[in-house]
Amino acid sequence: MWCEKGLEANKKLAICLDDTQKKLMDGIGYSIKDKSERLVIECSGEIDGEHTEEDTLKLMEATSRCLKNEMSQYLSASWETFGDRKVLAVQSVSNTITLLSTKRVDENKWCFVEQRSAIIPRDWNDRYHWVKVMELLIKLKELLDEQEIITQTLKKEHVGLIKVDSKSTIR
């Protein structure tokens, strides 16, 4: 059995989205500290083709929506700090997993970057590929830890514990 889940970001933007835009994800990882969507997972199957490309676009759209949703929660924080915010994605195609990240670069510009990619070994002869899988998992952990620090800074800026020039706020 396979179960997909909808993004909270889609629920909050539900007024603006039609049914074709409310896509389900294969997995969603939440931050425990602020209950924000930090990781989106999509399994694209065994064949690298049109479906894979559609899933990549789906991940780009989903991660940017997560960022837009989160941006609305920190209107008094600075653009500079929010520029460090990333939403992560993992896509699996056949025996390859790819770690991706999305961040806001400019007003209407988003950056979708491959952080790491690894082959998941399926037999004994490919066992040495586990090294790259572990590197990917370590990179994922580093990125998630970095985002927790950014969350604390965004919260402090939003409530005024860290002073932000009014011209530099998200608002």
Side-chain angles (χ1 to χ4, degrees), residues 114-126:
E114 180 179 319
Q115 298 286 328
R116 289 276 191 288
S117 189
I119 294 170
I120 299 176
R122 293 183 175 175
D123 58 40
W124 183 251
N125 291 333
D126 292 337

Side-chain angles (χ1 to χ4, degrees), residues 33-52:
K33 293 184 180 173
D34 66 348
K35 297 172 187 64
S36 292
E37 295 153 337
R38 287 278 171 269
L39 177 67
V40 181
I41 302 168
E42 196 61 31
C43 301
S44 300
E46 285 294 314
I47 299 167
D48 191 358
E50 188 177 328
H51 179 71
T52 302

Side-chain angles (χ1 to χ4, degrees), residues 22-171:
K22 297 176 189 170
K23 298 176 180 152
L24 300 175
M25 306 310 299
D26 291 330
I28 303 170
Y30 296 91
S31 167
I32 295 171
K33 293 184 180 173
D34 66 348
K35 297 172 187 64
S36 292
E37 295 153 337
R38 287 278 171 269
L39 177 67
V40 181
I41 302 168
E42 196 61 31
C43 301
S44 300
E46 285 294 314
I47 299 167
D48 191 358
E50 188 177 328
H51 179 71
T52 302
E53 292 171 7
E54 289 172 3
D55 279 351
T56 303
L57 291 173
K58 183 177 170 182
L59 285 170
M60 291 171 75
E61 185 179 8
T63 53
S64 61
R65 277 200 186 136
C66 291
L67 280 170
K68 288 178 187 176
N69 179 50
E70 193 168 356
M71 195 166 39
S72 69
Q73 297 173 29
Y74 298 111
L75 296 176
S76 297
S78 72
W79 277 119
E80 183 179 342
T81 303
F82 195 80
D84 293 331
R85 168 62 82 216
K86 293 176 185 171
V87 174
L88 306 172
V90 172
Q91 183 174 19
S92 82
V93 180
S94 185
N95 67 335
T96 303
I97 55 171
T98 306
L99 174 61
L100 306 147
S101 69
T102 301
K103 66 184 261 178
R104 185 182 179 278
V105 179
D106 214 350
E107 191 167 331
N108 282 317
K109 293 182 183 172
W110 303 83
C111 182
F112 189 68
V113 177
E114 180 179 319
Q115 298 286 328
R116 289 276 191 288
S117 189
I119 294 170
I120 299 176
R122 293 183 175 175
D123 58 40
W124 183 251
N125 291 333
D126 292 337
R127 67 188 176 275
Y128 300 114
H129 290 286
W130 282 114
V131 172
K132 293 295 182 185
V133 173
M134 293 305 143
E135 285 178 4
L136 184 144
L137 293 172
I138 290 167
K139 181 66 175 178
L140 173 61
K141 173 80 167 99
E142 287 173 358
L143 289 167
L144 289 170
D145 288 346
E146 177 184 292
Q147 294 310 302
E148 292 302 325
I149 293 166
I150 292 166
T151 297
Q152 296 310 310
T153 305
L154 286 168
K155 285 180 176 182
K156 289 175 184 176
E157 287 179 353
H158 183 68
V159 299
L161 290 175
I162 297 175
K163 185 134 175 75
V164 177
D165 182 5
S166 62
K167 295 176 185 173
S168 301
T169 63
I170 295 171
R171 194 179 313 253

